[in-house]
Amino acid sequence: MANWLVLSAFIAVTVVIAQAVRLLFMVINGWRNRKKAVGVFHPYTNDGGGGERVLWCAVKAIQDVNPNLDCVIYTGDHDASPDSLSGRALDRFGVKLIHPPKVVHLHRRKWVEETTYPRFTMIGQSFGSIYLSWEALCKYTPLYYFDTSGYAFTYPVARIFGCKVFSYTHYPTISLDMLSRVRGRSSMYNNDSLIAKSAILSRFKVVYYTLFGWLYSFVGSCAHLAMVNSSWTQSHIEKLWGIPARIRRVYPPCDTSRLQALPLEKSMKPPKIVSVAQFRPEKAHPLQLEAFAVAIKKLDQDLPRPIIQLVGSCRNEADEKRLQNLKDLAIKLNVDDHVEFHKNVMYRLLGGAVAGIHSMTDEHFGISVVEYMAAGAIPIAHNSAGPRMDIVLPENGKQTGFLAQGVEEYAEAIIEVIKMPENKRLEIAAAARKRASMFSEQRFYEDFKAAVRPIFCDGTK
C-alpha cells in the first residue's frame, strides 16, 4: 500500500512537472517568434456598439502612427475575415482602414461568456479570459498586446509572453462605488435584492469584492499604458491600479459630424423625447417610463402631450423579455398611447427629438448623451459619472442640458423642456451641440496617437 502511494505521488509530480515544462516551452517559443505587430484582444467583433467603434478607430489610428505594424484581431467570431472586418468598419462606422487587419480565431470564447458562470460571474469571466488569452498568444505572439474589451486579467499573460501591454478601458471591472453599494446593502442590477436584504450574504460579498479588487489591482498594474474613456473611469482606475503616470484619458470617438448636420429646429406637434440604449437592466428603462407617466399627469392641459421613443437593441432572450416587460409597464402606467418602441433605429428618430433621456447610474461615459447633444436634442441624463463629470457641463457659461436622479427629478426636467420657450430651447441646444464637438472622432485620433507613440518608440529600442 505504501509503495502504491509513493508511486502515485511520483506520477502526479511528474505530470505536474511535465505540464509546467510544456507551458514554459510554449512561452519561450512565443518569445522567440514574436511578430512586429499589434495583437488586439477583442473577442466579440460584432456587438455594433460604442466598443466596436473604438476598436476600428483605434486600429486606424495605429495604422496611421506606424503603417509597418500589422494589426491582428483576436476574435471568437468564426465568420470574421480580414475583408469582412474591414468592410464592417467602413459600412457600419465609416472607418476606412489603411489595410485589412489579420485575424486569429479563438475557439475557447465560451470561457468569457456570462452564461458560463451563473454565479461568481465577474471572477469566472476574469479567470476565463486568462485561458482565452493564452490560446491567443500561443497562436500568434505580437510585440504589442492591446486590450480593447476590459480583460485586465490577460495583462500578466501578455507580459509573460514578452509583449508591451496597453489598453483602452471603458469601465473598471469592479469599482469603489460597487463595493460601497454592497456595504450599504443597496439593491441594484449588480447587487441582487436577496443579497442586499441579508447581512450575512452582504458581508460575504464584501469579502469577495475586496479580494477581487486586490487581484484586479495587481493585473491592471501590469499595463504599460492604460487609456480610459472618462474622468470617472480615470479616477477609479488610478485608485485601483496605482499607476497614475501610465494612465491617459482619451474620450471615445462619437459620430457627431452627421448628427451636427441635423437642424436645431424641432417640431413640437407633438414633442418627441428619444431614449437610445440597449435593453439591458443597468440602463434603467423603467425609471424613464415612470418619470414620463408622472410628467404627463403634471402637464398643463393646454400643452401638447409628448411622445417618448425607446430605441435600442436586444442581445439575447433576456433582453427580449425585458423589452416586453417595458411594453407591459407602459400599459400599466396608462401611457402606452404615448410610447413607441424601436429596435435598431436611431439617427432618423434623433433628428426629430427635442430631448434625449438617459437614466443609467454611473454610466462610465455616455455616448448616447453626446449623440443627443450633437443632434440638437436637449439631454436629460443621470446625475452621476460621465454625464455629470464630462458631458453635460456648461459651454461658455451656457446650460447644455439637465441632470437628474429619481422619478420626480426626471419628470420635472421633461416638463421644463416641453414648457420651454423656443428661443431658450434653441440656445441650450446650440450650446449642447458645441459641447458635443469635443468628443469627435478627430479628437479621439489625436489623443489616441499622442498616447501610443511613446509605447511604439520604446518597443523599437
Side-chain angles (χ1 to χ4, degrees):
M1 182 66 178
N3 290 337
W4 174 249
L5 290 174
V6 171
L7 179 60
S8 298
F10 176 75
I11 292 173
V13 170
T14 302
V15 169
V16 170
I17 293 174
Q19 185 65 14
V21 170
R22 176 175 169 270
L23 295 177
L24 178 61
F25 272 105
M26 292 170 74
V27 171
I28 292 172
N29 185 60
W31 265 83
R32 287 176 175 173
N33 295 291
R34 281 178 297 167
K35 306 294 193 299
K36 190 176 181 181
V38 178
V40 186
F41 193 73
H42 199 99
Y44 299 87
T45 52
N46 60 358
D47 60 10
E52 191 182 348
R53 177 181 290 280
V54 167
L55 167 66
W56 299 125
C57 288
V59 169
K60 184 179 187 303
I62 290 168
Q63 291 179 344
D64 285 342
V65 171
N66 193 335
N68 296 321
L69 279 175
D70 285 330
C71 283
V72 180
I73 311 297
Y74 299 116
T75 176
D77 297 316
H78 299 305
D79 58 345
S81 67
D83 289 338
S84 71
L85 291 182
S86 59
R88 182 178 175 83
L90 181 61
D91 297 340
R92 179 107 185 182
F93 301 102
V95 178
K96 187 174 183 179
L97 303 179
I98 295 175
H99 47 77
K102 293 183 178 180
V103 177
V104 172
H105 291 110
L106 305 177
H107 300 285
R108 298 181 175 91
R109 191 174 68 180
K110 69 176 182 180
W111 294 109
V112 297
E113 291 177 357
E114 185 177 343
T115 53
T116 305
Y117 311 98
R119 293 287 182 268
F120 301 101
T121 307
M122 186 167 62
I123 199 163
Q125 288 179 296
S126 295
F127 280 109
S129 70
I130 296 174
Y131 189 39
L132 190 62
S133 65
W134 185 272
E135 178 194 358
L137 291 163
C138 285
K139 285 184 173 180
Y140 189 101
T141 310
L143 284 176
Y144 306 97
Y145 176 88
F146 179 32
D147 165 48
T148 56
S149 299
Y151 292 106
F153 278 69
T154 68
Y155 303 169
V157 180
R159 290 287 291 261
I160 289 171
F161 275 83
C163 304
K164 281 274 187 178
V165 178
F166 63 110
S167 66
Y168 189 91
T169 302
H170 297 269
Y171 53 90
T173 303
I174 187 170
S175 70
L176 304 176
D177 293 335
M178 289 167 63
L179 189 56
S180 66
R181 285 195 194 102
V182 176
R183 285 198 177 107
R185 295 171 62 184
S186 300
S187 177
M188 274 191 73
Y189 60 88
N190 59 359
N191 193 38
D192 189 270
S193 59
L194 178 66
I195 294 175
K197 292 175 182 177
S198 169
I200 294 174
L201 291 177
S202 291
R203 281 199 199 97
F204 178 78
K205 193 166 184 178
V206 166
V207 173
Y208 166 48
Y209 270 20
T210 301
L211 291 174
F212 184 86
W214 289 342
L215 291 173
Y216 188 62
S217 296
F218 167 71
V219 297
S221 68
C222 293
H224 294 92
L225 166 68
M227 289 171 281
V228 294
N229 71 336
S230 68
S231 299
W232 182 85
T233 303
Q234 181 174 1
S235 66
H236 282 276
I237 291 296
E238 284 182 349
K239 291 173 183 174
L240 288 163
W241 292 3
I243 52 170
R246 287 180 258 159
I247 294 174
R248 299 287 182 272
R249 184 168 70 244
V250 178
Y251 290 123
C254 302
D255 186 17
T256 58
S257 57
R258 282 189 293 169
L259 296 172
Q260 287 174 326
L262 296 170
L264 289 179
E265 294 78 11
K266 313 283 182 175
S267 171
M268 296 293 285
K269 298 180 180 180
K272 296 184 178 69
I273 300 168
V274 71
S275 167
V276 180
Q278 285 183 325
F279 293 107
R280 288 156 43 187
E282 63 267 30
K283 297 302 181 180
H285 287 98
L287 184 151
Q288 298 177 10
L289 291 179
E290 290 165 10
F292 183 72
V294 171
I296 284 185
K297 289 178 182 177
K298 289 186 174 182
L299 274 174
D300 296 337
Q301 290 300 315
D302 60 332
L303 290 173
R305 305 293 99 176
I307 289 176
I308 187 169
Q309 300 169 317
L310 276 68
V311 185
S313 59
C314 295
R315 303 162 298 172
N316 48 41
E317 288 185 14
D319 286 354
E320 293 283 359
K321 183 177 179 181
R322 196 169 290 113
L323 175 56
Q324 184 57 52
N325 290 340
L326 290 171
K327 293 178 180 179
D328 295 340
L329 178 61
I331 295 172
K332 181 180 178 181
L333 294 170
N334 200 29
V335 293
D336 50 304
D337 288 342
H338 304 281
V339 181
E340 298 176 2
F341 294 93
H342 301 267
K343 288 173 63 176
N344 303 318
V345 179
M346 183 171 66
Y347 294 110
R348 175 173 60 81
L349 296 177
L350 276 176
V354 297
I357 192 167
H358 159 281
S359 52
M360 178 177 170
T361 301
D362 287 340
E363 173 76 89
H364 41 95
F365 180 67
I367 287 179
S368 63
V369 180
V370 174
E371 290 172 338
Y372 299 157
M373 295 164 74
I378 295 176
I380 303 172
H382 196 273
N383 190 15
S384 64
R388 181 176 69 187
M389 298 174 70
D390 291 311
I391 302 174
V392 189
L393 298 178
E395 180 67 27
N396 294 329
K398 294 182 179 178
Q399 182 182 358
T400 59
F402 296 87
L403 295 170
Q405 282 182 305
V407 170
E408 290 297 328
E409 288 188 15
Y410 272 94
E412 290 302 320
I414 291 170
I415 292 169
E416 188 165 348
V417 170
I418 294 171
K419 293 173 63 175
M420 192 177 291
E422 179 70 0
N423 63 335
K424 176 66 173 175
R425 189 190 65 74
L426 289 174
E427 179 182 293
I428 295 176
R433 175 168 284 180
K434 186 175 181 182
R435 175 84 189 157
S437 63
M438 73 176 293
F439 307 110
S440 65
E441 282 189 8
Q442 186 58 39
R443 172 72 179 268
F444 172 84
Y445 286 129
E446 292 170 2
D447 292 349
F448 186 94
K449 291 175 186 178
V452 301
R453 279 194 183 101
I455 289 290
F456 293 155
C457 290
D458 289 346
T460 57
K461 290 180 180 178

